[in-house]
Amino acid sequence: MSLFVQQILNGLTLGSVYALVALGLTLVYGILHIPNFSHGALFTVGAYAAYVTAGQLGANYWVALGAAALVTALVAMLSERLVFSRLRDSPPLHDMIAAIGLLLFFEALIQAKFGAEFHRVAAPYPGIWQGLRQATGLVLPIQRALIIAGAVILMVALHLFLTRTVTGSTIVAMAQNREGASLVGIDLTRVSLLTFAISGALAAVAAVLFAPINLVSPGMGNLVILKAFVIIILGGMGSVPGAIAGGMIIGFAESFGAFYISTDLKDIMAFALLVVILSVRPQGLFPAPAR
Amino acid sequence: MLACEGATLDYGSYRALSGVSVRVERGELVVMLGANGAGKSSLFLAISGLRRLRSGSIRLDGQELAGRKPSDIVAAGLVQCAEGRKLFPGMSVRKNLTLGGYVHRADPKGSEAILERVFGMFPILRDKQHDTAGSLSGGQQQMVAIGRALMGRPKVLLLDEPSLGLAPLVVKQVLEAVQAINREGTTVLLAEQNAFAALKIAHRAYVLENGRIVSEGSPETLLADDRIRKAYIGA
């Protein structure tokens, strides 16, 4: 029984990280219809920004988390300005090629600067809850609790921002009708930049929360971005609740699959589920409203 | 008030507008007649800054609009209610209307007053204010679209085919609303295929064919012109 509960906790942890990454991806897809493969690089950039501020400069973990979110938001905004905004009138294929190019560019850049080896980001509160762990037989290291709590806080904050604030509504408006948004006087450039900044910050926070239980390396974003795509396809492209539900589904599938089927097959679960769910619901779980 | 001079617009090698000049004076209701594909929507999208002119100028009270961002053009007082409505289908009716006042977000009191005016003009929208815009009927959606444009506090309101696809009774209601908006002091440029109904409420009209203005004048003159009667009214 406790092993079963343990898998639920593991699934929640993984699902939280995936959902945060997928949220940023789905926001950008929703407003710009760009399949932003370079979102995986933002995940990596966030982790390395924290590695530099915490590991090399010796900053506090939370300061490093804030710094990583800021740096990654800036990188995301730069990629919008320098690359994606210039491709606005080109065929969609060009966006995709540019996004993959950016992903490879950032990966190579990070490898050139920091080397291909793995690095560690120290956990902010190592060692506490040891006693609790022995008493209950459950293992919920504090870092995993932080991941889950952090993800929940960010999801609620994002939801309130999108539905309750005027600035948030401009993002939703642009996703639902781009020309309609222009016609009421919403500045699309500003909304694009804002959306990229949010998506970058979410990816960075996910990466920094995840880093202490998973090593940091130049290619760390590649598998994450593939799974994030699976998640937003599952959930419905551009759908915020879909990204959260999809993230949790994939997280649980991986933790239970790894435990009850085989650890070797863990990374295949996401893709197998994609095939199964899409054959039943081709529109995804939460399709965006029709235009 | 709105003056468009020699507006030329290309889509690749296709010339959608060639040297279109249109003037709308303060307080006027001007109708732009034309068949499908004549260039009405292209002209309107260009005026709103959503398409870039190859040459020509568009002035609002003497201020050049060509080349400016759509958001600046709305802030300058030129608001469009576009063909196909372009609502935010997943948002509530009320939120669609509120976002119409986006450029005036620093003055929520003023927007609240206009919202009341819109509800007064289309009472059904008050009842449906919490429904999503996408769930409304075509006529009701058109009312939301007109209301949303009014929330932008237009000096000049562009209406692109507001009667498209609506039942005859609803068409009448929508055109009466347009006339009422104009009588309350908003300058209106209205594109319509429904020529007879539109000419009845217009002060002046232009006829657009293949991207050129081929005729202009008072509704009486145009209605007396046999060629125009045949092409646009069918009688």
Side-chain angles (χ1 to χ4, degrees), chain A residues 8 25 29 32 35 55 71-72 74-75 111 119 131 139 154 162 182 205 210 214 231 233 237 257 273 285:
Chain A
I8 292 186
L25 192 64
Y29 183 83
L32 298 176
V71 167
T72 313
L74 284 175
V75 170
Q111 187 161 337
H119 295 284
V139 188
L154 282 178
L162 291 177
S182 285
V205 171
F210 200 39
N214 196 27
I231 289 163
I233 294 168
M237 305 285 276
L273 257 181
L285 300 170

Side-chain angles (χ1 to χ4, degrees), chain A residues 162-166 169-170 172-174 176-177 179-187 189-190 289-291, chain B residues 45 48 50-51 69-71 74 79-82 85-91 95 99-100 102-103 105 148:
Chain A
L162 291 177
T163 54
R164 299 287 166 84
T165 68
V166 176
S169 312
T170 61
V172 182
M174 185 169 164
Q176 294 191 4
N177 196 315
E179 289 205 328
S182 285
L183 290 172
V184 300
I186 293 171
D187 185 344
T189 303
R190 234 184 88 188
R291 275 150 221 278
Chain B
L45 291 174
S48 279
L50 288 167
R51 300 287 180 274
K69 284 196 291 191
S71 51
V74 174
V79 186
Q80 175 170 183
C81 171
R85 307 173 195 122
K86 308 212 187 292
L87 297 176
F88 310 124
M91 290 189 193
K95 196 142 195 191
L99 274 174
Y102 176 73
V103 296
R105 59 196 178 281
R148 188 179 71 177

Side-chain angles (χ1 to χ4, degrees), chain A residues 87-105:
Chain A
L87 295 173
R88 195 164 287 167
D89 300 321
S90 337
L93 186 63
H94 294 196
D95 287 318
M96 206 185 310
I97 295 169
I100 294 172
L102 272 176
L103 176 67
L104 297 175
F105 169 75

Side-chain angles (χ1 to χ4, degrees), chain A:
Chain A
M1 185 59 202
S2 77
L3 281 175
F4 180 78
V5 178
Q6 183 66 53
Q7 296 321 311
I8 292 186
L9 292 177
N10 288 347
L12 268 178
T13 313
L14 273 177
S16 298
V17 172
Y18 291 159
L20 286 182
V21 178
L23 272 175
L25 192 64
T26 213
L27 280 180
V28 166
Y29 183 83
I31 62 155
L32 298 176
H33 298 271
I34 295 176
N36 188 12
F37 285 94
S38 67
H39 196 67
L42 297 177
F43 185 80
T44 316
V45 167
Y48 272 87
Y51 165 68
V52 171
T53 35
Q56 296 188 336
L57 305 175
N60 171 287
Y61 177 82
W62 298 106
V63 174
L65 180 82
L70 201 67
V71 167
T72 313
L74 284 175
V75 170
M77 286 161 80
L78 269 179
S79 65
E80 197 277 339
R81 272 302 79 192
L82 298 179
V83 181
F84 294 115
S85 70
R86 288 158 203 278
L87 295 173
R88 195 164 287 167
D89 300 321
S90 337
L93 186 63
H94 294 196
D95 287 318
M96 206 185 310
I97 295 169
I100 294 172
L102 272 176
L103 176 67
L104 297 175
F105 169 75
F106 281 116
E107 189 179 335
L109 192 70
I110 287 169
Q111 187 161 337
K113 179 91 177 73
F114 299 96
E117 65 272 23
F118 290 90
H119 295 284
R120 271 182 56 82
V121 173
Y125 310 108
I128 46 174
W129 288 18
Q130 291 287 345
L132 182 72
R133 192 185 300 189
Q134 272 148 20
T136 60
L138 277 179
V139 188
L140 179 65
I142 186 140
Q143 192 62 32
R144 291 182 181 259
L146 284 179
I147 291 174
I148 298 170
V152 170
I153 290 170
L154 282 178
M155 287 171 196
V156 171
L158 182 69
H159 174 76
L160 292 177
F161 172 70
L162 291 177
T163 54
R164 299 287 166 84
T165 68
V166 176
T167 310
S169 312
T170 61
I171 295 180
V172 182
M174 185 169 164
Q176 294 191 4
N177 196 315
R178 194 190 175 83
E179 289 205 328
S182 285
L183 290 172
V184 300
I186 293 171
D187 185 344
L188 298 188
T189 303
R190 234 184 88 188
V191 177
S192 303
L193 279 174
L194 177 69
T195 310
F196 267 86
I198 292 172
S199 92
L202 286 173
V205 171
V208 179
L209 285 171
F210 200 39
I213 58 171
N214 196 27
L215 298 167
V216 173
S217 69
M220 67 189 284
N222 297 353
L223 196 55
V224 172
I225 188 64
L226 278 183
K227 287 178 186 168
F229 267 109
V230 169
I231 289 163
I232 70 169
I233 294 168
L234 273 186
M237 305 285 276
S239 158
V240 169
I244 296 171
M248 290 300 163
I249 290 172
I250 299 300
F252 280 107
E254 283 191 6
S255 86
F256 279 92
F259 186 74
Y260 289 104
I261 302 172
S262 159
T263 326
D264 296 336
L265 297 179
K266 172 174 151 295
D267 289 327
I268 294 177
M269 295 298 166
F271 304 99
L273 257 181
L274 176 70
V275 174
V276 172
I277 294 187
L278 285 189
S279 57
V280 185
R281 256 185 93 78
Q283 71 275 43
L285 300 170
F286 298 87
R291 275 150 221 278

Side-chain angles (χ1 to χ4, degrees), chain B:
Chain B
M1 179 158 213
L2 176 68
C4 181
E5 308 261 350
T8 299
L9 176 74
D10 293 337
Y11 294 131
S13 62
Y14 173 70
R15 178 146 292 187
L17 297 173
S18 40
V20 171
S21 296
V22 171
R23 298 184 71 85
V24 184
E25 302 302 334
R26 187 178 306 273
E28 266 192 319
L29 198 170
V30 174
V31 167
M32 179 70 60
L33 299 178
N36 250 338
K40 302 189 299 291
S41 293
S42 297
L43 177 64
F44 277 32
L45 291 174
I47 294 177
S48 279
L50 288 167
R51 300 287 180 274
R52 198 165 282 268
L53 288 182
R54 184 185 174 82
S55 61
S57 84
I58 296 164
R59 290 207 173 80
L60 180 70
D61 282 333
Q63 187 188 4
E64 182 62 53
L65 297 183
R68 292 179 61 189
K69 284 196 291 191
S71 51
D72 292 346
I73 292 173
V74 174
L78 193 144
V79 186
Q80 175 170 183
C81 171
E83 182 183 348
R85 307 173 195 122
K86 308 212 187 292
L87 297 176
F88 310 124
M91 290 189 193
S92 71
V93 166
R94 193 186 178 94
K95 196 142 195 191
N96 268 275
L97 294 172
T98 316
L99 274 174
Y102 176 73
V103 296
H104 303 288
R105 59 196 178 281
D107 173 28
K109 278 223 174 75
S111 291
E112 194 61 39
I114 303 175
L115 185 65
E116 277 308 309
R117 220 183 101 201
V118 171
F119 283 157
M121 188 180 294
F122 304 116
I124 184 81
L125 296 188
R126 190 193 298 276
D127 304 336
K128 302 237 172 195
Q129 58 179 298
H130 300 299
D131 296 7
T132 58
S135 71
L136 269 52
S137 73
Q140 291 162 354
Q141 289 194 18
Q142 189 60 54
M143 294 172 196
V144 178
I146 294 174
R148 188 179 71 177
L150 287 179
M151 294 292 291
R153 306 181 197 180
K155 292 183 207 156
V156 177
L157 175 63
L158 303 188
L159 286 154
D160 194 357
E161 304 262 7
S163 71
L164 195 70
L166 302 183
L169 204 63
V170 186
V171 171
K172 187 162 172 277
Q173 198 185 351
V174 165
L175 290 180
E176 277 169 9
V178 172
Q179 190 172 30
I181 291 164
N182 174 247
R183 285 193 176 142
E184 283 168 36
T186 307
T187 306
V188 175
L189 178 59
L190 168 70
E192 262 298 338
Q193 288 196 53
N194 201 332
F196 190 67
L199 285 175
K200 277 203 296 195
I201 62 169
H203 298 125
R204 229 152 35 80
Y206 290 89
V207 180
L208 194 62
E209 265 174 28
N210 298 323
R212 293 170 194 279
I213 299 286
V214 293
S215 183
E216 78 165 283
S218 69
E220 297 76 29
T221 337
L222 292 179
L223 281 172
D225 185 327
D226 267 356
R227 212 179 57 83
I228 287 169
R229 283 183 72 92
K230 278 211 180 69
Y232 298 100
I233 296 163

